[in-house]
Amino acid sequence: MGKFVKRLMLDDMYALGRNEAWFSDMARKGLHLKKIGRIFGYFENGEPRETNYRIDIIKENPSQEQLDVYHDCGWDIVTNNRDFYIFSADAKTSTTELHTDPIEQGLSLSDLNKRLRNNLIMMSMAMMLFLGMMFSAYFLNKEPFLFMIKGSFVQQMLLVVVELYVFYSVIRNYVAIRNLKKSLLQGNSINHREDFRKARLTGGILAAIFLPLAIVCICIPLVEISKRQDYTLTENNTNLPIVRLTEIEQNPKLRRERGYTSNNVDWANRVSYDWSLLAPVQYEIDEHGIIEGEVWGDNSEEYSPSITTRFFKLTFGNMAEKLTFDLISRYVYRDDTEIKAINHSELKMYLAEEGIRKHIFTYLDNKVMHVAYYGKRPIEDIIPMVEMKLLEY
């Protein structure tokens, strides 16, 4: 037994004449078909031979009696893939064709034509639903740029492209069988020596484009998961893009207020790092404190300031302004809150105050930062600290 090799099935499955001609061409090179799948054809390496191949679409498994009749006509079964049955014969031997009546052969394709048409209808409905979901997610969303960056926008867009290619393949297969059936019913026999080179070249180019895209679609979420991490924020100085509570409060009585802890992470004082192709650096950092002996302005309870910092380093700097507006939309809850814009020679900044909750949104080049401070210190005291952190990081 010779060595087996596999080759991509680059042409349409239902391009019968072209595939038959390709199998014969491979046999002349010493590669003899043994098995086919959706993606690959498997060939045994042997002596070059002139071999004819015929593809027959049989709805039900052929009986041994039927196969014996084919054998007597010179055709031996090679392999099958569901209702695809492939037969071969020595080209030097006089053989009778499997189908001598094109019209009868065309009628035998009616069930397959109907099945492919129904598949196309269902696939069309699924594609409309899929594209509608993608459209609504990004174009009917109040914060589309934030959704792109925090979600899997690139992966989903690549998936749309791959799905459109699959849809195109379904259309091509249906059209191929419909045209073949029409031609046979007109009395035209299948051209068993149809040129396959142009179709395989086109299929190869498309495969070289879309197979890597499909692999990337699989790899992106794996990379995102591997890079994602959560850990407790250290009380020491860090090189993270964050304004610390100690810098704002400047009170020696300030101490850390611990929160819910799981997986060795204090979620009240934590660093969450995330990654995406559109924003390779994403931080969300929380810090909570408490000052003994000091109370809130309404004397309700002990004073416990906190701060949350969100930082993004984007792949494309022209997304920074849009992302900033989306952050304002997401985290400024009250509709009547005044948004103040501050022009700076190097960066752009927006301020919002909702009682004790104070927001600073700012961006510079491809860096975007949102600081939400809960406490009694005025927002004017925090602005220089935010500016310095953004410029430094």
Side-chain angles (χ1 to χ4, degrees):
M1 181 178 292
K3 180 182 178 182
F4 280 85
V5 297
K6 57 184 179 181
R7 294 290 185 268
L8 284 170
M9 299 286 295
L10 297 174
D11 203 351
D12 297 330
M13 286 288 292
Y14 295 99
L16 305 189
R18 293 201 299 264
N19 282 317
E20 290 170 348
W22 177 53
F23 296 151
S24 295
D25 184 72
M26 295 295 283
R28 284 192 292 272
K29 298 175 181 177
L31 295 175
H32 306 285
L33 182 69
K34 293 299 177 183
K35 180 182 176 182
I36 62 166
R38 279 285 184 182
I39 299 177
F40 293 104
Y42 298 84
F43 299 83
E44 184 180 11
N45 208 339
E47 293 295 326
R49 289 200 307 268
E50 291 289 334
T51 307
N52 292 329
Y53 288 89
R54 296 294 181 265
I55 301 174
D56 200 10
I57 299 174
I58 306 175
K59 185 178 179 181
E60 297 179 357
N61 294 336
S63 63
Q64 187 59 48
E65 181 180 355
Q66 185 177 356
L67 294 177
D68 290 340
V69 172
Y70 287 168
H71 176 75
D72 293 339
C73 294
W75 298 100
D76 292 315
I77 187 168
V78 176
T79 184
N80 78 289
N81 185 343
R82 293 186 294 185
D83 53 0
F84 262 67
Y85 287 80
I86 301 178
F87 299 85
S88 69
D90 191 334
K92 297 179 181 179
T93 305
S94 178
T95 55
T96 304
E97 284 291 342
L98 290 181
H99 292 279
T100 56
D101 185 351
I103 295 178
E104 181 182 354
Q105 187 179 6
L107 291 173
S108 69
L109 297 177
S110 297
D111 288 340
L112 176 61
N113 182 74
K114 183 178 179 180
R115 186 169 77 245
L116 292 179
R117 183 186 62 201
N118 292 339
N119 289 344
L120 178 58
I121 292 173
M122 290 189 294
M123 186 70 174
S124 299
M125 295 173 62
M127 281 301 301
M128 290 177 61
L129 179 61
F130 177 68
L131 293 176
M133 292 172 60
M134 291 294 102
F135 177 85
S136 61
Y138 292 102
F139 296 98
L140 301 181
N141 194 301
K142 291 183 178 180
E143 297 100 26
F145 286 86
L146 181 59
F147 190 72
M148 289 179 189
I149 289 167
K150 297 293 287 183
S152 301
F153 174 75
V154 176
Q155 178 202 8
Q156 290 170 346
M157 290 302 102
L158 291 178
L159 184 60
V160 168
V161 174
V162 173
E163 289 294 332
L164 286 174
Y165 173 67
V166 173
F167 183 51
Y168 167 66
S169 300
V170 172
I171 295 174
R172 268 192 337 192
N173 285 329
Y174 168 67
V175 171
I177 282 297
R178 186 194 63 182
N179 291 342
L180 177 61
K181 178 187 174 185
K182 182 179 178 181
S183 176
L184 290 169
L185 292 178
Q186 291 173 348
N188 302 315
S189 298
I190 295 176
N191 179 8
H192 302 295
R193 299 184 181 277
E194 186 178 354
D195 182 34
F196 58 86
R197 291 172 178 81
K198 182 178 178 181
R200 284 189 59 80
L201 176 61
T202 302
I205 294 172
L206 292 175
I209 295 172
F210 290 100
L211 285 179
L213 290 182
I215 294 172
V216 170
C217 286
I218 297 172
C219 292
I220 287 177
L222 299 178
V223 175
E224 290 176 346
I225 293 171
S226 67
K227 287 183 173 290
R228 187 176 300 143
Q229 55 181 314
D230 299 287
Y231 57 92
T232 300
L233 175 65
T234 177
E235 295 190 60
N236 301 323
N237 293 331
T238 70
N239 60 351
L240 294 172
I242 179 177
V243 179
R244 305 300 298 262
L245 276 179
T246 53
E247 298 176 282
I248 299 174
E249 299 298 332
Q250 297 183 358
N251 191 323
K253 295 182 179 180
L254 177 69
R255 61 177 178 83
R256 170 167 289 188
E257 182 181 29
R258 296 187 61 85
Y260 170 73
T261 301
S262 67
N263 297 324
N264 296 319
V265 178
D266 177 6
W267 291 94
N269 302 275
R270 53 95 193 197
V271 178
S272 290
Y273 174 80
D274 213 341
W275 178 94
S276 72
L277 282 173
L278 293 179
V281 178
Q282 301 179 40
Y283 284 107
E284 184 167 338
I285 306 168
D286 291 320
E287 188 175 18
H288 286 69
I290 192 167
I291 300 179
E292 296 180 2
E294 187 172 341
V295 295
W296 289 97
D298 58 1
N299 296 317
S300 57
E301 53 187 13
E302 200 166 32
Y303 181 51
S304 54
S306 64
I307 189 169
T308 297
T309 302
R310 296 178 179 89
F311 178 85
F312 302 88
K313 194 169 186 178
L314 306 175
T315 303
F316 304 105
N318 56 5
M319 298 180 67
E321 183 179 34
K322 298 294 185 182
L323 175 60
T324 301
F325 292 150
D326 283 1
L327 290 169
I328 293 172
S329 174
R330 171 68 64 87
Y331 295 109
V332 177
Y333 300 138
R334 289 165 47 179
D335 295 335
D336 59 347
T337 301
E338 181 183 3
I339 308 297
K340 299 178 182 179
I342 297 179
N343 291 318
H344 191 283
S345 59
E346 295 185 83
L347 51 81
K348 192 68 176 289
M349 183 175 289
Y350 297 90
L351 310 178
E353 295 190 60
E354 298 174 296
I356 62 171
R357 193 167 187 254
K358 304 170 179 72
H359 298 275
I360 300 175
F361 303 89
T362 184
Y363 66 91
L364 173 65
D365 298 329
N366 66 333
K367 296 178 290 186
V368 178
M369 191 172 184
H370 168 219
V371 174
Y373 166 67
Y374 298 78
K376 297 191 294 184
R377 299 298 176 262
I379 196 170
E380 291 76 15
D381 292 351
I382 309 171
I383 292 174
M385 304 176 191
V386 175
E387 290 179 346
M388 181 179 65
K389 291 294 181 179
L390 189 63
L391 292 170
E392 287 179 351
Y393 195 83

